[in-house]
């Protein structure tokens, strides 16, 4: 594996969520060739990254939603899930991700209490605009090499869709947060992808 850069998505203002994320990725990546590794809901941002990120040459979706250009999260999600997230919002921001569930999944997925506390402290409170803003309608991302890494069974349907599109797919039976708890195993899954 080569160098990895992490983009901080905390504190998004909410006016142009997709543009703001793409701008942050472009700033961190500069002009260098890079591959975007998108985890969980970050898969939604793929259409915004092209052409803003000059050296972007591939996308890896890791336990991620697949792109939905021209549609908002509210368009692709069950209405009851969207209503629940709206109820969890305060001052235009959604509660941290681990609070979206009846039982906090991080307790089982990150057994070490101090590690779990560090993870929870870094969870952003996304603006409600993340739910309501349509992703850019661009299809430029679709011409890039893509791959899917399935870490948990909850993303098997997306892995199957990726396979149907001809993408390389790798699977492990870990948890949705394995990038945090099992970084070595996830790195091995990413290593050697055809364009990585």
């Amino acid at each position: 594996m080569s160098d990895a850069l992490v983009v901080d998505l905390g504190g998004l203002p909410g006016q142009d969520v997709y543009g703001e994320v793409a701008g942050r990725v472009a700033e961190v990546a500069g002009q260098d060739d890079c591959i975007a590794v998108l985890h969980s809901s970050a898969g939604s941002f793929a259409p915004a990254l092209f052409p803003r990120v000059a050296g972007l040459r591939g996308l890896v979706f890791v336990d991620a939603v697949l792109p939905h250009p021209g549609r908002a999260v509210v368009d692709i999600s069950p209405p009851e899930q969207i209503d629940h997230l709206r109820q969890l919002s305060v001052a235009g921001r959604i509660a941290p991700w681990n609070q979206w569930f009846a039982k906090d999944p991080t307790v089982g997925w990150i057994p070490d209490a101090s590690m779990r506390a560090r993870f929870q402290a870094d969870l952003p409170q996304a603006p409600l605009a993340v739910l309501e803003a349509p992703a850019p309608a661009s299809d430029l991302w679709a011409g890039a090499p893509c791959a899917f890494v399935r870490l948990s069974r909850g993303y098997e349907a997306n892995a199957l869709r990726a396979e149907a599109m001809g993408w390389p797919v790798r699977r492990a039976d870990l948890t949705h947060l394995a990038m945090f708890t099992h970084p070595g195993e996830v790195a091995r899954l990413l290593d050697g992808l055809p364009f990585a």
Side-chain angles (χ1 to χ4, degrees):
M1 299 254 355
S2 58
D3 293 339
L5 301 171
V6 177
V7 178
D8 182 1
L9 299 182
L12 290 170
Q15 289 82 16
D16 177 14
V17 174
Y18 288 95
E20 178 72 16
V21 167
R24 289 184 186 188
V25 174
E27 183 179 344
V28 170
Q31 298 296 311
D32 295 338
D33 283 351
C34 63
I35 295 166
V37 179
L38 306 170
H39 177 249
S40 197
S41 297
S44 297
F45 293 100
L49 299 180
F50 292 91
R52 293 284 299 272
V53 183
L56 189 56
R57 61 184 183 89
L59 300 164
V60 181
F61 297 84
V62 180
D63 244 27
V65 300
L66 297 181
H68 46 89
R71 295 184 297 161
V73 173
V74 296
D75 300 325
I76 64 164
S77 303
E80 60 275 10
Q81 183 182 42
I82 298 299
D83 290 344
H84 177 65
L85 293 179
R86 284 186 173 131
Q87 290 169 8
L88 291 177
S89 68
V90 176
R93 297 210 165 257
I94 306 167
W97 170 82
N98 66 313
Q99 297 175 25
W100 297 3
F101 310 92
K103 182 179 177 185
D104 181 352
T106 65
V107 174
W109 292 348
I110 310 174
D112 181 272
S114 63
M115 181 184 280
R116 184 170 62 249
R118 286 195 317 272
F119 177 84
Q120 291 173 346
D122 281 341
L123 288 172
Q125 289 187 261
L128 275 171
V130 167
L131 303 177
E132 297 160 354
S138 168
D139 62 356
L140 293 175
W141 71 272
C146 295
F148 195 94
V149 175
R150 197 271 280 157
L151 301 178
S152 64
R153 292 177 192 235
Y155 284 81
E156 180 61 20
N158 286 0
L160 291 170
R161 284 180 56 206
E163 279 179 329
M165 291 186 283
W167 299 0
V169 173
R170 294 187 175 170
R171 290 175 172 85
D173 289 324
L174 298 167
T175 73
H176 187 55
L177 302 181
M179 292 174 79
F180 184 73
T181 58
H182 297 81
E185 291 180 51
V186 175
R188 284 189 287 277
L189 290 166
L190 295 171
D191 192 34
L193 285 168
F195 55 92

